[in-house]
Amino acid sequence: MAVIEANSELLRFATAGSVDDGKSTLIGRLLYDSKQVLTDQMTHVEEVSERRGDGFVNLALLTDGLRAEREQGITIDVAYRYFQTPRRKFIIADTPGHEQYTRNMVTGASTADLSLKLLDARAGVVEQSKRHAYIASLLRIPHVVVCVNKMDLVDWDQGVYERIVGEFSDFAAPLGIENLTFIPISALEGDNVVDRSTHTPWYTGPSLLDHLEGVEITRGLDHADARFPVQWVIQPSAARAPDYRGYAGRVAGGALAPGDEVVVLPSGRRTRVAAIDSLEGELDTAFAPMSVTVRLEDDVDVSRGDMICGAGDPPTAVRELTADVCWMAEAPLHAGARYAVKHTTRTARAVVDEVMSKVDIHTLESGEAEQLALNDIGRVRLRTSAPLVADPYARNRTTGSFILIDEATNDTVGAGMVLDAA
Amino acid sequence: MDTSTQPTLTHLRALEAEAIHVFREVAAELERPVLLFSGGKDSIVLLRLAEKAFRPGGFPFPVMHVDTGHNFPEVIEFRDRRVAELGERMIVASVQESIDKGRAVEEKGPRASRNRLQTVTLLDAITEHGFDAAFGGARRDEERARAKERIFSFRDDFGQWDPKAQRPELWSLYNGRIRRGEHVRVFPLSNWTELDVWQYIDEEGLEVPSIYFAHDREVFERDGMLYATSPYMELIDGETPFNASVRYRTVGDMSCTGGVRSGAATLSEVVAEIAVTRITERGETRADDRVTEAAMEDRKREGYF
Ligand SMILES: Nc1nc2c(ncn2[C@@H]2O[C@H](COP(=O)(O)OP(=O)(O)O)[C@@H](O)[C@H]2O)c(=O)[nH]1
C-alpha cells in the first residue's frame, strides 16, 4: 500500500443516482479498489451477501448503514464515507436517489466541491438525472461528473454512450455548470473506476479515480474579498491574559493580514487588523477556510453575529432579501409565515413576504406558486428582524447561504441561497 | 486576491479548521456544554482543538470523564496530568458510584464488562449537571451506523438517538436548538479517520498514554483478541496468560479492549502500522461491537457515546 501523505488535499464530493443505478456498488468499488476496505468489513459483507442469497460478494453492502435500510435494501439518508489515496483525502456525502429525498441531495451538495452522478446506460438520461444536475448547479458545485454505468450491459457500445453524453450536455447547457465530465464505467466489474478499461478503447479520458485526484479544488470566488463572521469573543480572565480581546471565527472568503483596512458590519465602523492569532503564535495571513482569532487596532464594539470584512468591496447589511429556498418540512412554507433564520453566525427572525415562484421539478421551469411543499424549490422574499450581512450565493457559498428554523419544533425546515441582498 | 495563486490547506488543517469552528459554535449557542474526555487519542485531539478554539481564554466548559473503575492505570495517570497542565476543570462521573447507588447493575460472568453501564452514569451526570451539549470524539469512519450521524446529534429526554429524525446539516450552519431535558452530542471529529487522528497527534507533538505504544504485557487470547490480565477479568477454561508485545488502538474499559501484537514503539511507527492495517479499529479491539451486526446502532439508540 502506498504511503499516505499527511499533507494531501481534501476533496468533498456528493453522489446521486436513481435507485439501482449502481451508486452503492460504485462507492463500494472505489473503497475496495483503493484498498480502503478492511478485512473485518469484507468478512461482514461476505457473510451478509451469502445470507441474502446475492450469489456474489455484494460491494454495495459496504456502504449500507442503518438497520432499517438493510431491511428495506435501500439507502435512506445521507451517509458519509472516507477514503484516501496518496494524493487526496476524499469525503463522500452519499445521498439517496428517491424522489422524496431532494432535501438529502441538497444537504449533501451544500458542502461539496464535486458532484458525482450515476446513469444506467440502458435507461439513459431520465427525469431524475436532470433534477440532480439542476441541484448541483443551484448549489454551485463547480465540478459535475456523470458516470454512465452498466456499460457492460450495453456491450460497451460507444454509440449508446455518445447519445447519453449528447442528451445530458444539451439539457445541462443552460444550467451553467463550470466543469462537466463524462466517464463510461462498469461499477460492478470496476472498468474505468480506478484503472482505465480495455473495453473502451474509444474513450480517451481519465478513470474516475484519476479524475477525482486531478480536478482543481476551486475555492473560486470565495477568495474575492475578506469575509470573517465573528463566532466568539475571546476575553480571558485577568489571570490568563489581561487586556486581551480577540474575535474568533472562520474566514469565509478572501484573506486577512495584519494592517488590512476592514469594516465591521452591520455597524459600518472602520479599523485595521492589528494581529491574527493562533495557538502557534501570530500569523502573516489567514485565508478561507481557516479558523483563527483576529485582533483589531481600535477598540470598536464587535460581538458574535458581526462580520469583519475587507474594506474594498464589503457586502451590504440588509433586512430584505430574495432567495432560492429548498423546503424540507411537511408543513408548507407560505406568505406570512415566520421562522428563525440562521445566516453565518447571526440568527434573526424572518417573515415570508412573498412566494414568488416555484420550480417544477419535472420540467425545471419556474411557475407561479402560493406555497412551497416538502422537497419543493422556489424563490421567496424575506424580511428579517435584524440586518443580515449577506453576499449573493453565486459570489460566496458561505455568506450567501442560510437555514430556516421552525421555532415551534426547532427543526431545520429550509435551506436558502441569497439571490439579491437589497 | 488572484484565484490562480490561492493558497490551500492540507487535509489535516482543513479538518482542524472545521472542528474549531464547531467548538466555537457550540460554546456560543448552547448554555452548558461539557467535553467528554476518556484519555484516549480522539479525546486528546479534542482537547488540543479546544485549546486552538479558545486560547488565550479558558475553556467555556468543563471536561468530564466517565470512569468505569476498570480503566488502565496508565490512562488515569495521564488524564489527571493532562487536565492539570491545561488548568481546566474536570468532573469524574463514576460507574462504581452508579452501581453503589443501585442505578446500574454489574454484569456477571467472565465476559462481564462495565462498558454498557457507562451509559447510565453518563446520562445521570448530564442530568445532574444540567449539560445541554456534550463533545465527544466519535468519528464516522469507526462504524457503519456512525456514517449517518450528524455532527450535532440530538438526544431526547432519555438520551436516545433517532436515526430517522435527524436534522439536515447544511453548509456549516448548525442548528443546536433543543428543548428542556434534551441534549446534543457534538462530534467535531466526525470527518476524521483513525489515520488522520494519528497524523495530527504526530504533527502537533501531542502526548498519548503509554499503552498506545508497543510494550510487554501479560495477556490472554479470547475470540481472537489479546486482553490484558487484570483483576477485572476472569479467565475461562483453557485460557492461559502469556507475555506478548502489544499496543492498544483504543483505551476503553480493560474488560472489553483488546491489544494488537505490535512492535511499534514510536508515534511514526504507529502511524506507519495504521496506514497499512487491514482491520478496522473497532473490529479489531472492541469486543462490544462484535456481538450483533447492528450492535453499535442499538447501543447508540440507548444513549451510548
Ligand atoms: N451489470 C452491471 N450491474 C451493475 C453495475 N453496477 C451495479 N449493478 C447492479 O445493479 C443493481 C443495483 O446496484 P446498487 O449499487 O445497489 O444501486 P443503488 O441503488 O444505486 O445503490 C445491483 O444488482 C448491482 O449489482 C454494473 O456496472 N454492471
Side-chain angles (χ1 to χ4, degrees), chain B residues 261-273:
Chain B
R261 280 178 206 274
S262 166
T266 65
L267 210 47
S268 48
E269 285 167 11
V270 170
V271 172
E273 254 185 36

Side-chain angles (χ1 to χ4, degrees), chain A residues 333-335 352-357 369-372 379-380:
Chain A
L333 168 145
H334 50 80
V352 179
D353 267 350
E354 188 191 349
V355 176
M356 301 164 74
S357 61
E370 296 284 302
Q371 59 173 44
L372 299 182
R379 189 157 292 180
V380 301

Side-chain angles (χ1 to χ4, degrees), chain A residues 18-25 56 60 149-150 152-153 186-188:
Chain A
S18 311
V19 177
D20 282 345
D21 281 350
K23 194 160 53 69
S24 311
T25 308
F56 61 98
N149 189 32
K150 308 197 185 181
D152 54 307
L153 298 181
S186 166
L188 195 64

Side-chain angles (χ1 to χ4, degrees), chain A residues 1 4-10 12 35 37-41 44 48 51 61-62 64-70 72 75-82 84 89 91 103 106-107 110-111 139 217-220 223-224 231-232 234 236 240-241 244 248-250 255 279-280 287 289-293 304 328 340 342-345 347 393 397 401-403 405 407-412 415-417, chain B residues 1 3-4 6-18 20-25 27-29 48 51-60 86-88 140-141 144-150 161 163-164 166-179 182 190-193 195-196 199 203-204 249 275-284 292-295 297-298 301:
Chain A
M1 179 159 171
I4 288 183
E5 296 286 331
N7 59 5
S8 61
E9 287 176 313
L10 186 64
R12 296 175 196 253
K35 315 233 175 346
V37 181
L38 306 171
T39 316
D40 54 334
Q41 293 174 325
H44 167 81
V48 178
R51 190 147 22 96
L61 292 171
L62 276 172
D64 209 14
L66 301 174
R67 182 185 286 261
E69 295 174 353
R70 276 199 301 282
Q72 295 166 26
T75 330
I76 52 170
D77 198 355
V78 187
Y80 295 87
R81 323 274 168 204
Y82 305 86
Q84 209 164 13
K89 163 165 174 153
I91 300 180
R103 73 172 217 167
V106 169
T107 303
S110 69
T111 51
L139 274 288
I217 304 176
T218 26
R219 308 280 177 232
H223 274 260
Q231 282 186 279
W232 176 259
I234 297 183
R240 279 192 185 266
Y244 185 95
R250 189 173 186 192
L279 192 63
E280 291 69 41
F287 52 87
M290 287 167 71
S291 286
V292 296
T293 302
R304 175 174 169 85
M328 303 184 155
K342 184 167 183 188
H343 169 260
T344 66
T345 57
T347 302
Y393 186 77
R397 287 172 79 184
S401 54
F402 61 84
I403 55 173
I405 298 166
E407 293 192 280
T409 62
N410 289 334
D411 285 335
T412 300
M417 288 144 281
Chain B
M1 181 178 286
T3 51
S4 63
Q6 63 179 257
T8 51
L9 295 178
T10 65
H11 82 270
L12 281 181
R13 296 299 150 190
L15 292 172
E16 176 191 60
E18 174 182 81
I20 294 171
H21 175 256
V22 169
F23 264 107
R24 290 166 170 169
E25 283 304 285
E29 298 218 321
R48 168 50 56 105
E51 284 185 90
K52 297 216 178 197
F54 303 109
R55 292 292 185 246
F59 296 174
L86 288 168
E88 299 292 345
R140 289 182 183 136
D141 80 322
R144 279 185 307 277
R146 291 225 198 260
K148 312 219 154 173
E149 191 160 10
R150 306 292 192 254
W161 178 56
K164 287 227 173 129
Q166 300 195 84
R167 292 178 187 168
E169 221 157 59
L170 295 134
W171 296 287
S172 47
L173 293 168
Y174 303 103
N175 169 4
R177 289 176 181 231
I178 48 170
R179 292 202 187 98
E182 297 173 340
S190 289
N191 287 325
W192 299 48
T193 59
L195 184 59
D196 295 330
Q199 285 181 333
E203 275 195 15
E204 292 284 315
R249 290 177 73 184
V276 297
T277 294
R278 307 310 318 148
I279 300 186
T280 59
E281 186 182 325
R282 286 198 163 255
E284 184 173 57
T292 66
E293 193 184 306
E297 192 179 325
D298 290 340
R301 283 173 179 275

